[in-house]
Amino acid sequence: MNRYLKLVHMEIHRFRYVLGSLMGITMIFQISALIWQVNSKLSMDRETAKQFPESLFSQISFHEIVFSIQFWFIIPILVSIAVLSLYVFLIWYRDWFGRNTFIYRLLMLPTARRHIYLAKLTAILTFVFSLVAFQLLLLVIEKLIFNMIVPADRIQSSHFSDVIAANQAFKELIPRAFDQFVFSYGLGIMALIIIFTAILIERSYRMVGIVYAALYVFVCVFAVVFPLLSLGIDRSNAYLYPEEIFGIVFGICAVLLAASVWLGFRLLSKKIAV
Amino acid sequence: MKRYLLSVILGVFIVVGIGAYYVNGAMDRLPEYKLSTLEGNPDEAQMVKLSGSYGGRMLWESLTVDTDGSIYRKDRSEFAKSLFNNQSWKFRDSDMKALKKEHRNFMRGKGLMDSFYKDEEWLIYAEGIVHRNNNSMLDANLKIDLLNEKTGNVTQYRVDISDEANYSWIDILDVQRVDDQIHLLVRQHVEASSELHDYVVDLKSGQLIRNEMLNHGIRSGENEELNLFAITNEIRSKPGEFVVLSVRKDRRTKESSNSYRLDSVSEDLFSYSYKTGKLNELLIYKNKNKLEDDSNDFTLNGNILSNLRNNTNAITLSRYDLSLDQKLEGITSLSAQQLGADDIGSLRLSQNRVYVLLRKDSIPQLAVLDTATGTVLYKGQATYEGPASNSEEQMKNLRLLNIDVQS
């Protein structure tokens, strides 16, 4: 356990600058967009007030501002998703193709090799969830900034759930219902484990391994999607009821998850040689 | 420990950040509403759900309000919605829900709601199947599944109804049992026209006893087409001696090279008795010119055909006994003001009750009326379940538009 935690820390430590940069980019983009949008709205109102001194201005709410600058909020989120997606592969391949072929040292550590696999998996999940948590914290900070730059008499209060609903990306990445969060990220974790296993298949069998890995990913996707399409979940005359079809799909996901983890462990301990 | 500070901080940050978000989300409750009794018997409103939306947030939130309280759609995740809402149009119907609960296995793969019949002895399901045979002709078959409720035995019959007419498709509109005969009301499409047939099948042998074409005697002229519909029992699987047939004549007007506009010319209603085989035109509704008026609504409940309409803010309910062939007492022009409200939102007829969604000073109210006399059996209104100081503001944010009755 101790060795596993040390490996996790090592993986986090190796990515710390990239993670920090992603957080920084997100913060700069979102806060700049917020300040720019609020200032342009206020200056537009001031111009109108000069021309029409009798004008009454509507109140400004934080969620409306977030809604109006969705694009600038989504850009850094997409960048973070792209970087993390790429790092899912790099977290393994950098150990082989990096300057010091670090994988040899890792594989020779006096600990079970499955710890390497689990540490890399934990590290990726830590990066994902820390970016999610950072986004939540950032929204709180952004709201404070909003409250500071908008005159108090013009502020209309916003509920946090309205702020989340104001951005399409937030709705997907930070769903309001917790079971939706578990379901979405559960699917993501399963996809991550399947990709990890595919990478290890490729590393074990090299050139022909690419074919095996692609085949493995295809079989996994097919196994999940096929029952949903073929059993007619939205067809009124389907033989199985929707809850039964979902049950089958969950069962298949559980089997795929267990099989992928087992295969990954096995390839790492038996097939990959130093 | 200091060495691992970054990992520890990230771990704590994740747990606290995401945890706080969901705890805050769980505590962020939208206002609770309830249907509270103003007068009458609260049991009359037990099966009613009023649906609409709450507008006090950035997005309108869908909700339902009943005598127990309110439920917001947002409180169910997209995942739960996709899990439970699949085929929801089928299983939302309380009749289908009950059949699924009682006969889970028999109900598998059976999706046509008009194709069920249920009494104390039998549960019957029928389906029309058309397929092309080796001679490039279309074969039409009726597939009938019977469940004996006492023994639990399931029997299947397949009845060939192919004849010289080349049916392009067939629909089952109603299934009934009269003693040992199964009656299947079928709409058959032959080229551009459609016909209604009553196929009578022997319950014990599955043999076709007779095929009655229901001749309504209405002919379509040039550039006209006839559309046939059936008004079946409100509870679809319930036994009933009668079905009401609607024959609508539409005029076709060419709008462009490949599009047509259909304008209704007339609509006539006929009652058909499965027991006697008699087709009787309902002259009371002849050329009733109802087609442009969406608020019209015919409901068949046993032998009683009811027509409910909201005419310039007043309810009119006419009732007709098909077995006695006579008009019954109903409701004549009962206005919103007579019900103590400003206007009528929507109406719903279910069993022997009329459910009326009213608005009084913009506050939604529900009235339940007896169909025969129009007597108010229940009256209630939506109330805010929170501090009285917020009540006025929160009631302004509530819009209730529809009535759902779980019979």
Side-chain angles (χ1 to χ4, degrees), chain A residues 84-95:
Chain A
L84 283 178
S85 303
L86 195 65
Y87 197 67
V88 168
F89 295 89
L90 279 181
I91 200 169
W92 287 101
Y93 286 109
R94 70 184 285 184
D95 291 343

Side-chain angles (χ1 to χ4, degrees), chain A residues 85-242:
Chain A
S85 303
L86 195 65
Y87 197 67
V88 168
F89 295 89
L90 279 181
I91 200 169
W92 287 101
Y93 286 109
R94 70 184 285 184
D95 291 343
W96 263 279
F97 300 112
R99 267 178 298 183
N100 303 315
T101 51
F102 190 62
I103 191 71
Y104 296 119
R105 285 163 67 191
L106 277 180
L107 293 176
M108 282 191 294
L109 285 175
T111 179
R113 285 186 178 180
R114 66 173 181 275
H115 287 159
I116 301 169
Y117 181 102
L118 291 173
K120 288 185 188 297
L121 183 69
T122 312
I124 294 283
L125 296 180
T126 306
F127 304 148
V128 171
F129 291 127
S130 57
L131 283 171
V132 170
F134 180 73
Q135 179 62 76
L136 290 168
L137 174 70
L138 201 51
L139 283 173
V140 176
I141 295 169
E142 285 159 359
K143 196 172 179 189
L144 288 173
I145 295 171
F146 172 84
N147 288 343
M148 283 193 294
I149 56 177
V150 176
D153 59 334
R154 296 281 313 270
I155 295 176
Q156 188 189 6
S157 67
S158 283
H159 291 273
F160 203 73
S161 59
D162 284 346
V163 180
I164 298 296
N167 187 306
Q168 200 57 38
F170 294 164
K171 279 200 277 188
E172 299 298 328
L173 295 171
I174 333 167
R176 286 195 292 189
F178 185 66
D179 62 339
Q180 177 69 36
F181 178 85
V182 172
F183 176 71
S184 303
Y185 285 94
L187 269 183
I189 291 169
M190 191 178 84
L192 183 62
I193 287 172
I194 289 169
I195 291 170
F196 269 21
T197 304
I199 292 168
L200 289 174
I201 292 173
E202 188 277 329
R203 287 290 82 201
S204 302
Y205 299 96
R206 302 299 164 117
M207 286 308 280
V208 72
I210 298 173
V211 179
Y212 290 161
L215 207 62
Y216 179 74
V217 172
F218 174 76
V219 167
C220 290
V221 172
F222 183 79
V224 175
V225 174
F226 181 72
L228 284 173
L229 297 179
S230 65
L231 296 176
I233 194 148
D234 52 356
R235 246 187 13 237
S236 67
N237 61 350
Y239 183 76
L240 295 173
Y241 293 115

Side-chain angles (χ1 to χ4, degrees), chain B residues 222-235:
Chain B
E222 201 180 336
N223 291 326
E224 286 179 345
E225 61 182 62
L226 290 183
N227 287 300
L228 309 175
F229 305 96
I231 301 164
T232 55
N233 244 319
E234 185 197 344
I235 299 176

